[in-house]
């Protein structure tokens, strides 16, 4: 199995175990450079685990991860964090950090420990906040924000890392529908700036509406991967999720919408 | 009752915190203990203030109770009449009422001061066991003491006490009577064992406001009355020895250094150390602290620069060790008394109020005379 | 939220610390005038001649000055350790006591006091703190992945064990008065602080404390947990255990001269956080400065409140600290 070593994110033979059980079983996957891809699958399929391995946040037991030819698992941590950013599913803190300080955390891989914030750094923080339309909130306490606002701030934090690869774990989790759409619109916009994006998503309709590629994970294995329309079939959904699915078309957007009924 | 055992530690106010620690540790045992105590008769706790005056009244009370209805007893008439031996002796001891229907026959003494008290009264044969002895018994009682059995190096456990089936446990420190020690006083009483604390060592109640030799001598009388023996000759002998002590201190100052290194623990203004210093004419630099012994402060010691330093010599903390502490602390090494070696040494057992208090005063006076050479 | 500029607050604290030391050293049971105290200190620094007798000069140079300086260093070290541990364990109630460090250090110290090998004291406290930390980590590890909450629970267990052994040692070997020395260890006291104590604590602050103060950005990255810190390029486990070990060393050094002084590590970082916000780059050095000022005054109270008696400073810090902590808790509740 060989891949073009210069095309986007390439994970090979990734195996992850925890406490003796196999979470990810010898997975190969690719995410095309500059694409917006979705990682889908039932709960417990191993989506979060695989995402962390693909951004080298948690090293897998075996396997390799390359992005644009760079060995993410082998390079120095700070250098890797300038290349790849990861946004967790639920970002919670006990600290009373302000929005501004949270976004500044994204500058950590670019700064030495005890240097003052450079003008450039401050500008990047401001730009990141502007991108997610949270500039007005920059002095607010992070904990006081709504779920959708928090998710946007965490996205701004990731952007402040100036990454070329952005991985997000269930970025629409717990958000109301407007906020879910806002986040995905934002990702679609970011994708136009050349950032390669991989998001674990729960909602197949959202994945089908916004993503060019889909990777389907089940029981720690990739069961299908490729262009959205070829991968997301009623048969595959029935096999992986154990439900009957009907793929319809949204009359407004013309994108696929998936309806479910019991198997 | 529960807090009686604090007596020993209560010499130091901080002991309350240690007590809290122990209480927390035993928190699971408490409900059981409560139930147990609730089922016992409540001992009334008449408290007497122990000025010399009230002590005299107390002694009169002993006599009054001893000879029911008799109001003619002279205050000093503790000497039992022949039929008094059959009468009960009742008194309040550290706030606990105790009754002796007859003279105790099987006594456990805890601390040297109580052992020596009985030896001095010729009651060595009543002692069935000793515990927590602070040092060797002085020459004059050595032969009698040779037969004594030590049951514990420190405070014996309640079972060790009960095992000997005593009719009296006589302790030099109030703290000895605790559930973790020799047993709480109420518990022992309910098992038919009397308890007695050397009266001058009381802390929780009836502590002498300012210890005097009247207190020390009346302690001896009290013990004599409980055992129905005559203390007259012992007291006369002690009074004569006391009268002979030369108050050669000439109002010079002294530190009574009992123990400690970081924080000095000193003889303060109201207990045996103050009494002994007063007796030999020395001025205690810690006299203002209204306590028997108290944690003090090196800065205040250096500021006062005392003429003499009294060192208490105990097996567990020798006078030499204390000299070491004084000489290695750069601030105290320059004290005049340290530089000139003007130390007065008192054996630990004689530093607590009791039958050796007069001897301690004598020792101080003799050593002052030697140093003054 | 930042209410006070960290730089302004830092400058104010630095001045307050200098003023506090200057004044505290002139307060004590012995009545020595302000100018005499400082002329005496000046004479030791090679400026002029001491106006005091040799003995009273000793009060200033051998008793008061080393004690005040030790108080400052111990306060700084404990507050710094507390701030670091609160960040690393993501537990606002964390302090050097949480992970059993203090109990371990006190056990080490108490053991050598009762064995009579006082020379080994600082070393034994170090070893005790490190052993307790190791035991805490082993126990936390045996429960599964080492998470902050498991570490805290393990710390409580280890702390209880170390305290029980300490109590056992006291109970077993107490003779006459050694319990009093032990008490001052358990409650915390600076009465034994002389120049060697200044040396131990200052070296700990300079060699370990100052590098730790420079890790503020790293600690900030822990605000959202290990995964986010890792995603920001932080070597999470090396940072965590490295800083924990550094905190253990600082705590061991401080406990070895002062015993376990409570509340300094717990409340002062919270107070600073309220004033300048949660960013650790400001929080760490400011906590250390405030801790120094706080303990200088707490110890001054401890040695003068009941003059000429003195009380362990741990009592004073608890008496002041507990109500402040309660206040901080209510503030915290209303702000979240």
């Amino acid at each position: 199995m060989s891949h073009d070593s210069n095309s986007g994110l390439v994970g090979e033979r990734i195996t992850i175990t925890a406490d003796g059980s196999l979470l990810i079983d010898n997975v190969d996957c690719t995410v095309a450079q500059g694409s917006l891809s979705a990682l889908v699958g039932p709960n417990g399929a191993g989506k979060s685990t695989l995402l962390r391995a693909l951004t080298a946040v948690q090293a897998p037991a075996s396997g390799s991860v390359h992005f644009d030819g760079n060995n993410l698992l082998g390079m120095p941590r700070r250098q890797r964090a300038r290349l790849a950013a990861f946004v967790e599913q639920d970002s919670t803190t006990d600290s009373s950090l302000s929005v501004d300080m949270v976004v500044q955390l994204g500058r950590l891989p670019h700064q030495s420990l005890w240097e003052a914030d450079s003008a450039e750094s401050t500008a990047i923080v401001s730009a990141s906040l502007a991108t997610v339309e949270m500039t007005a909130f920059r002095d607010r306490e992070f904990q006081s924000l709504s779920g959708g606002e928090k998710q946007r701030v965490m996205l701004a934090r990731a952007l402040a890392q100036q990454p070329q690869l952005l991985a997000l774990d269930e970025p629409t989790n717990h958000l109301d529908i407007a906020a879910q759409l806002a986040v995905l619109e934002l990702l679609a916009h970011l994708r136009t700036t050349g950032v390669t994006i991989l998001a674990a998503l729960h909602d197949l309709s959202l994945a089908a509406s916004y993503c060019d590629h889909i990777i389907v994970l089940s029981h720690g294995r990739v069961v299908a991967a490729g262009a959205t329309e070829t991968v997301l079939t009623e048969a595959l959904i029935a096999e992986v999720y154990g439900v009957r699915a009907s793929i319809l078309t949204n009359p407004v957007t013309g994108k696929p919408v998936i309806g479910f009924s019991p198997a | 009752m529960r807090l009686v055992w604090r007596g020993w530690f209560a010499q130091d106010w901080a002991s309350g915190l240690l007590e809290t620690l122990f209480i927390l540790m035993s928190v699971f045992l408490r409900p059981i203990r409560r139930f147990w105590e609730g089922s016992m008769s409540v001992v009334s706790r008449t408290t007497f203030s122990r000025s010399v005056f009230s002590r005299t009244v107390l002694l009169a009370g002993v006599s009054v109770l001893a000879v029911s209805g008799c109001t003619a007893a002279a205050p000093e008439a503790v000497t039992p009449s022949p039929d008094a031996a059959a009468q009960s002796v009742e008194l309040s001891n550290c706030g606990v009422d105790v009754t002796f229907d007859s003279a105790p026959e099987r006594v456990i003494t805890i601390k040297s001061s109580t052992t020596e008290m009985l030896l001095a009264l010729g009651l060595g044969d009543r002692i069935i066991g000793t515990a927590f002895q602070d040092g060797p018994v002085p020459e004059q009682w050595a032969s009698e003491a040779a037969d004594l059995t030590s049951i514990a190096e420190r405070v014996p456990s309640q079972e060790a006490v009960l095992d000997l089936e005593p009719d009296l446990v006589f302790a030099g420190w109030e703290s000895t009577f605790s559930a973790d020690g020799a047993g709480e006083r109420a518990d022992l009483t309910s098992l038919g064992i009397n308890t007695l604390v050397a009266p001058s060592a009381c802390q929780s109640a009836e502590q002498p406001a300012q210890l005097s030799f009247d207190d020390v001598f009346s302690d001896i009388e009290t013990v004599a009355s409980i055992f129905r023996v005559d203390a007259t000759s012992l007291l006369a002998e002690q009074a004569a020895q006391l009268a002979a002590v030369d108050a050669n201190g000439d109002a010079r100052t002294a530190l009574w250094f009992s123990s400690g290194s970081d924080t000095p623990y000193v003889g303060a203004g109201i207990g045996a150390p103050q009494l002994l210093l007063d007796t030999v004419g020395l001025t205690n630099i810690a006299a203002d602290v209204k306590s028997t012994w108290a944690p003090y402060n090196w800065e205040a010691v250096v500021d006062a620069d005392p003429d003499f330093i009294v060192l208490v010599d105990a097996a567990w903390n020798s006078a030499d060790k204390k000299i070491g502490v004084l000489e290695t602390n750069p601030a105290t090494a320059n004290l005049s008394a340290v530089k000139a070696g003007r130390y007065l040494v008192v054996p630990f057992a004689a530093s607590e109020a009791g039958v050796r208090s007069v001897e301690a005063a004598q020792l101080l006076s003799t050593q002052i005379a030697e140093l003054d050479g | 939220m930042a209410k006070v500029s960290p730089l302004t607050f830092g400058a104010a604290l630095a001045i307050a610390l200098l003023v506090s030391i200057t004044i505290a050293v002139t307060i004590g049971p012995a009545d020595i005038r302000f100018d005499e105290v400082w002329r005496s200190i000046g004479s030791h620094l090679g400026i002029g001649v001491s106006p005091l007798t040799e003995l009273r000069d000793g009060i200033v140079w051998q008793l008061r000055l080393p004690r005040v300086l030790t108080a400052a260093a111990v306060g700084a070290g404990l507050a710094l350790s507390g701030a670091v541990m609160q960040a690393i364990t993501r537990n606002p109630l964390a302090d050097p006591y949480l992970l059993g460090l203090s109990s371990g250090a006190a056990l080490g110290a108490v053991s050598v006091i009762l064995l009579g090998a006082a020379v080994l004291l600082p070393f034994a406290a170090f070893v005790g703190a490190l052993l307790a930390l190791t035991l805490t980590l082993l126990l936390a590890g045996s429960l599964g992945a080492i998470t902050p909450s498991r570490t805290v629970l393990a710390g409580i267990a280890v702390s209880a064990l170390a305290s029980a052994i300490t109590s056992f040692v006291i109970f077993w070997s107490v003779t006459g008065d050694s319990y009093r020395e032990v008490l001052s260890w358990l409650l915390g006291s600076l009465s034994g602080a002389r120049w060697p104590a200044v040396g131990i604590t200052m070296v700990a602050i300079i060699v370990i404390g100052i590098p730790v103060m420079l890790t503020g950005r790293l600690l900030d990255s822990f605000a959202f947990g290990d995964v986010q810190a890792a995603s920001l390029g932080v070597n999470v486990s090396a940072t965590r255990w490295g800083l924990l070990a550094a905190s253990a060393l600082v705590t061991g050094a401080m406990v070895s001269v002062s015993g376990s002084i409570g509340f300094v590590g717990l409340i002062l970082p919270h107070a600073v956080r309220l004033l300048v916000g949660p960013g650790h780059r400001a929080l760490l050095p400011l906590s250390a400065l405030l801790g120094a000022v706080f303990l200088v005054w707490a110890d001054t109270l401890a040695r003068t409140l009941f003059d000429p008696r003195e009380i362990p400073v741990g009592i004073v810090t608890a008496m002041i600290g507990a109500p402040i902590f309660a206040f901080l808790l209510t503030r915290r509740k209303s702000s979240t």
Side-chain angles (χ1 to χ4, degrees), chain A residues 212-251:
Chain A
D212 341 85
H213 292 83
I214 289 191
I215 299 167
V216 184
L217 202 63
S218 180
H219 299 294
R221 290 165 183 263
V222 173
V223 293
T228 304
E229 50 274 23
T230 57
V231 169
L232 267 195
T233 62
E234 292 172 355
L236 181 93
I237 292 169
E239 184 196 324
V240 173
Y241 289 90
V243 296
R244 261 185 74 188
S246 319
I247 298 182
L248 314 165
T249 304
N250 184 321

Side-chain angles (χ1 to χ4, degrees), chain B residues 12 154 259 263 297 299 303, chain C residues 56 64 172 177 191 308 310:
Chain B
D12 182 336
R154 300 197 187 96
S259 62
T263 300
N297 178 306
E299 179 170 330
D303 195 36
Chain C
R56 288 163 73 80
R64 281 191 198 168
W172 185 247
D177 72 331
S191 60
E310 61 174 72

Side-chain angles (χ1 to χ4, degrees), chain C residues 226-241:
Chain C
D226 294 1
V227 170
Q228 164 149 356
S231 80
L232 290 168
V234 174
N235 186 342
V236 171
S237 58
T239 303
R240 161 167 296 132
W241 305 128

Side-chain angles (χ1 to χ4, degrees), chain B residues 289-343:
Chain B
V289 180
K290 296 300 169 208
S291 187
T292 48
W293 283 265
Y296 206 58
N297 178 306
W298 282 126
E299 179 170 330
V301 171
V302 175
D303 195 36
D305 194 17
D307 297 306
F308 293 97
I309 296 177
V310 180
L311 303 173
V312 179
D313 194 27
W316 41 267
N317 190 345
S318 66
D320 283 345
K321 185 180 159 193
K322 289 175 186 119
I323 292 173
V325 167
L326 290 166
E327 286 178 349
T328 50
N329 179 337
T332 53
N334 281 328
L335 286 170
S336 340
V338 174
K339 281 177 159 172
R342 282 201 299 275
Y343 300 117

Side-chain angles (χ1 to χ4, degrees), chain C residues 125-215:
Chain C
F126 267 166
V127 172
L130 285 175
L131 278 181
L133 178 67
T134 311
L135 197 58
T136 298
L137 300 184
L138 283 177
L139 183 57
S142 73
L143 299 172
I146 299 186
T147 62
S149 54
R150 281 177 182 150
T151 313
V152 169
L153 288 173
I156 290 168
V158 170
S159 196
L161 179 67
S163 299
I165 299 173
T166 306
S167 300
F168 172 77
V169 172
I170 299 170
F171 217 84
W172 185 247
S173 55
V174 75
T175 56
D177 72 331
S178 51
Y179 77 90
R180 219 170 281 114
E181 303 267 303
V182 167
L183 262 185
S184 73
W185 273 89
L186 294 179
L187 297 173
S189 168
L190 289 159
S191 60
R194 311 276 183 266
W195 285 110
V198 179
I200 292 169
T201 53
M202 287 291 177
V203 165
I205 289 287
I206 292 165
V207 174
I208 309 167
I210 288 179
V212 166
M213 282 181 213
L214 300 181
T215 62

Side-chain angles (χ1 to χ4, degrees), chain A residues 19 52 56-58 77-78 80-81 84-88 90-98 101-102 104-109 111-117 139-143 154 157 161, chain C residues 1 89-92 144-145 211 213-238 273 276-282 285 332 335-336:
Chain A
D19 295 333
R52 289 179 195 177
V57 170
Q58 280 172 358
R77 287 182 172 81
R78 284 162 60 83
R80 184 252 301 155
F86 175 68
V87 176
E88 278 186 277
D90 284 309
S91 294
T92 55
T93 181
D94 293 328
S95 174
S96 55
L97 288 169
S98 67
M101 294 171 90
V102 172
Q104 267 182 30
L105 290 176
R107 299 305 299 157
L108 189 69
Q111 290 167 317
S112 73
L113 277 185
W114 193 245
E115 76 181 289
D117 297 319
D139 291 325
R140 285 271 298 275
E141 196 171 307
F142 177 81
Q143 278 176 298
M154 294 320 288
R157 191 271 299 158
Q161 284 174 251
Chain C
M1 226 57 8
T89 61
R90 288 219 288 161
N91 183 333
M213 282 181 213
L214 300 181
T215 62
R217 272 192 213 274
L218 286 181
L219 288 179
D220 283 343
S221 75
F222 279 82
F224 292 89
D226 294 1
V227 170
Q228 164 149 356
S231 80
L232 290 168
V234 174
N235 186 342
V236 171
S237 58
R273 216 173 272 127
V276 301
H280 286 92
R281 271 192 295 164
R332 193 180 156 77
S335 75
T336 37

Side-chain angles (χ1 to χ4, degrees), chain B residues 70-140:
Chain B
C70 172
T71 52
E76 72 279 13
V78 202
T79 316
S81 54
D83 61 338
Q87 301 287 340
S88 69
V89 174
E90 295 182 23
L91 68 152
S92 174
N93 176 243
C94 303
V96 175
D97 288 337
V98 286
T99 304
F100 294 90
D101 291 328
S102 58
E105 297 291 336
R106 300 175 57 77
V107 185
I108 293 176
T109 56
I110 304 174
K111 296 296 292 174
S112 288
S113 59
T114 56
T115 309
E116 289 164 4
M117 174 82 80
L118 295 193
L119 291 173
L121 287 166
L123 295 165
D125 58 337
R126 311 284 178 90
I127 303 175
I128 57 169
T130 66
F132 212 155
Q133 300 299 290
D134 300 299
V137 168
E139 192 70 16
Q140 72 257 42

